[in-house]
Amino acid sequence: MAPVQLVVIDCADPALVAAVEGLAGYLRRCGDDVVATGLRSAGVALASQQAEAVLVYADRPVDEVGEEALLSLGERGAALLLAGPTVDAWRSATRLLEAAGMGPGRRTPVHEIRLRPGADGADVVARMGDELLLTDSWVSAEKVADDIEVLLTANLATLDHPVMTLRRANGGPSVGTCTVGSLPQTVADPAYQRLVHRWLRAATGRRDGPSVRVGLLGYGAIGAEHTAAIAATAGLELVAAADPNPVRREAARAAAAGPLNAYADSNAMLADSDVDLVLVSTPPNSHAEQALRALMAGRSVVVEKPLCLTVAEADRMISAADERGLTLAVYQNRRWDADYLALKRAVRAGAIGEVFHYESFVGGYAHPCNYWHSDEAVSGGAVYDWGSHYLDWMLDLLRQPVAHVTANSHKRVWYDVTNADHTRVTVRFDDGVEAQFVHSDLAAALKPKWYVLGTHGAVRGDWRQASVLSRGPVGTLVEDELAPADAPAQLRLFTPGAGGGLSETLLAVPPAPVYPFHRELADHLLSAEPMTVTAHDSRRGVAIMEAATASAAAGGVPVRPAVP
């Protein structure tokens, strides 16, 4: 049998139990074979299996029987990792703490902790920044053995204290401690879960491999963005680009941070053994063909949105990746837009109760762009172009099964392009929730970007009218007015007031993370961490867009999408 990772939970706090179970689920999504069990059942759970590591969360004392059971697992080769409140609760477990090389000191109050890499922590914090902020209470180290590896530190009264350690076996078990993670909300924090996964990898001897070498297939308008993102992401390296246009090939060479092989023919790039991953940024109607060629050549693939134009294409792409053990991902870059993340946080936190009605809108009254985006045969139509983002948001917020899709479109003014001028897509879910997306190039008056109703409130996302100010050649003011879609929306939360009426609150919209997709891609390929957007998520979006296109063509009849 394959080695497993054992998560032992011995907590009196039910919220902490739930959070640790969620952490175990995250570790499974990282590809680990995880068994979660109670302390008394640990030996039974592994009677016929060999554990690589045992991760323990306990907020109550351990007796000699429990300590002996863990030490026995360690003597059988399992790394023992004491996490969260365990070290504080198990002060009497002197044999375990001695093996860990760590003497616990005092517990701090709950406060904002600045976590920094220790002398041995480079892999643990790779692509996570030099400083991580978490709110928690932790135990300082009163004494530390000379031979422990310090992976993370936290500052207390101007002194750095080790908060994540590992002491490798030297005639006994390998034992590590992480004294951060006592609060359920901390254990549930994605950044904390990533740290624990990296700690587990370090304890079991798994390390990141060499940088992933990327080849760009097509160097159009998005090429410079990918070039900058790859250069800024540790673990990714741009080594090649393919484009039939010599001007674009030269632009790719000029923008690259290092030497770059530029090919006129994509077949030549696929034959380049230095390329590990192909990023397909050709027009949508060629995504499936180009991605399948790269997958069959043994390369992992990232595809620009949309993944493709039909569910049949999506299924072929996903099967080809799965059969070869390769990664297939979609560049859903707007999943990390600052205003969407703020909306998602409010909805997930229950700020408006249960969502039962959702609307989104993008557009204005202006001629569509004159590029392939406005050619339905190439882009798939307006539903695919903007819908790849707006429907992705909808389906991320509303995860329940879809009953049917209806759509309607109008062609009334802009006859020189083939996309519809105005399109409405309505998605009805099995539980009766309805969600709508409207794209319009005939909207002389704008609807809100978002209008979301819940059982206890609502969120409205209003377009901002923003401008970029600069000086002209002679020093006069130049004002460049941004299109509404180029600025984050202002989000207003409406909730019932205590004395009747409604309370209105302007939601904070923190800055968006920098190149989050590319960081996740490197984390996935190098550290086996899951990505926010999977190919199956994007397939669900393609199914909705394909159903909407069929409904509009049939005059708005309901169409059941091909989703599980």
Side-chain angles (χ1 to χ4, degrees):
M1 290 188 180
V4 303
Q5 321 304 336
L6 181 65
V7 178
V8 173
I9 309 171
D10 190 36
C11 300
D13 180 1
L16 186 57
V17 171
V20 177
E21 288 173 343
L23 170 62
Y26 172 80
L27 296 176
R28 292 187 188 100
R29 290 172 56 212
C30 292
D32 286 318
D33 185 1
V34 175
V35 175
T37 183
L39 181 59
R40 293 286 179 265
S41 306
V44 176
L46 291 172
S48 60
Q49 297 172 304
Q50 178 63 47
E52 278 193 313
V54 181
L55 179 64
V56 183
Y57 280 84
D59 62 4
R60 50 195 172 195
V62 63
D63 58 22
E64 290 184 8
V65 175
E67 183 179 16
E68 183 60 38
L70 286 174
L71 287 168
S72 175
L73 288 171
E75 288 167 1
R76 289 162 54 189
L80 307 178
L81 304 178
L82 311 181
T86 308
V87 167
D88 193 29
W90 286 11
R91 291 174 184 266
S92 63
T94 53
R95 294 171 62 196
L96 269 171
L97 294 179
E98 184 177 332
M102 190 266 200
R106 67 184 179 90
R107 173 166 289 284
T108 71
V110 174
H111 68 290
E112 184 179 72
I113 312 168
R114 295 179 181 273
L115 298 175
R116 299 184 177 97
D120 307 290
D123 279 357
V124 171
V125 298
R127 297 171 297 278
M128 294 186 72
D130 295 330
E131 188 173 83
L132 298 170
L133 300 180
L134 292 173
T135 299
D136 201 52
S137 169
W138 54 281
V139 173
S140 62
E142 194 169 83
K143 66 173 185 177
V144 178
D146 293 336
D147 60 345
I148 72 165
E149 298 175 18
V150 178
L151 307 179
L152 285 177
T153 67
N155 194 272
L156 181 66
T158 74
L159 296 176
D160 286 334
H161 292 258
V163 293
M164 181 181 283
T165 67
L166 186 61
R167 195 183 198 190
R168 298 191 186 273
N170 184 17
S174 295
V175 184
T177 64
C178 176
T179 59
V180 177
S182 296
L183 300 179
Q185 56 266 40
T186 305
V187 177
D189 188 299
Y192 178 81
Q193 294 182 346
R194 289 170 64 201
L195 289 173
V196 172
H197 176 243
R198 272 99 179 281
W199 183 34
L200 190 152
R201 282 171 58 84
T204 55
R206 290 176 282 172
R207 301 181 64 89
D208 288 358
S211 292
V212 177
R213 299 164 299 180
V214 180
L216 299 181
L217 203 167
Y219 198 85
I222 200 70
E225 179 177 321
H226 285 301
T227 299
I230 291 167
T233 303
L236 298 181
E237 180 186 358
L238 182 60
V239 298
D243 197 293
N245 186 322
V247 175
R248 291 180 177 175
R249 293 199 299 274
E250 187 54 42
R253 286 194 190 95
L260 180 136
N261 293 323
Y263 299 99
D265 178 25
S266 60
N267 289 320
M269 189 179 78
L270 292 178
D272 186 341
S273 60
D274 286 341
V275 175
D276 303 312
L277 177 142
V278 172
L279 200 160
V280 178
S281 55
T282 56
N285 65 337
S286 66
H287 283 181
E289 176 190 355
Q290 300 291 2
L292 285 167
R293 288 175 58 240
L295 290 166
M296 290 175 182
R299 307 303 198 275
S300 288
V301 171
V302 171
V303 186
E304 278 292 331
K305 63 83 189 171
L307 171 63
C308 52
L309 299 184
T310 69
V311 169
E313 291 176 336
D315 288 342
R316 287 199 298 273
M317 295 162 73
I318 292 170
S319 293
D322 289 347
E323 289 165 3
R324 292 162 177 79
L326 298 170
T327 292
L328 173 64
V330 185
Y331 187 48
Q332 296 281 179
N333 57 313
R334 285 188 177 266
R335 185 70 79 90
W336 290 273
D337 278 8
D339 52 358
Y340 173 68
L341 291 177
L343 171 65
K344 184 176 178 178
R345 276 191 295 271
V347 171
R348 289 283 185 264
I352 61 173
E354 184 180 355
V355 173
F356 64 89
H357 181 84
Y358 172 100
E359 296 179 25
S360 60
F361 166 85
V362 66
Y365 197 101
H367 189 282
C369 74
N370 285 307
Y371 201 38
W372 57 256
H373 296 267
S374 296
D375 185 347
E376 187 173 28
V378 178
S379 69
V383 168
Y384 284 84
D385 195 44
W386 276 108
S388 294
H389 297 306
Y390 279 70
L391 291 169
D392 178 65
W393 289 333
M394 176 197 294
L395 296 173
D396 183 42
L397 284 179
L398 303 171
R399 292 277 179 173
Q400 56 265 51
V402 174
H404 63 255
V405 177
T406 58
N408 210 340
S409 62
H410 296 267
K411 190 65 182 172
R412 296 179 178 271
V413 174
W414 312 117
Y415 289 104
D416 57 325
V417 297
T418 55
N419 277 6
D421 298 340
H422 177 101
T423 304
R424 172 199 50 76
V425 178
T426 301
V427 179
R428 184 173 178 86
F429 296 87
D430 280 357
D431 59 2
V433 172
E434 283 194 336
Q436 186 179 93
F437 162 61
V438 173
H439 168 265
S440 182
D441 290 315
L442 300 178
L446 304 185
K447 296 178 65 174
K449 183 174 184 177
W450 288 293
Y451 179 73
V452 187
L453 301 181
T455 51
H456 301 302
V459 176
R460 191 181 73 213
D462 295 320
W463 296 105
R464 294 168 54 195
Q465 200 63 59
S467 301
V468 175
L469 303 180
S470 60
R471 289 182 178 272
V474 296
T476 54
L477 177 69
V478 175
E479 183 175 0
D480 182 13
E481 189 173 286
L482 296 178
D486 291 335
Q490 284 189 324
L491 298 176
R492 289 180 166 81
L493 171 67
F494 299 87
T495 54
L502 292 174
S503 172
E504 179 179 337
T505 304
L506 190 64
L507 293 179
V509 179
V514 179
Y515 301 132
F517 173 86
H518 297 80
R519 188 270 300 162
E520 276 199 3
L521 178 65
D523 286 344
H524 176 69
L525 295 169
L526 297 175
S527 302
E529 292 171 6
M531 299 189 70
T532 297
V533 185
T534 69
H536 288 279
D537 290 334
S538 295
R539 180 201 181 279
R540 189 172 183 236
V542 169
I544 299 300
M545 293 184 288
E546 187 176 21
T549 302
S551 175
V557 299
V559 174
R560 188 169 184 87
V563 291

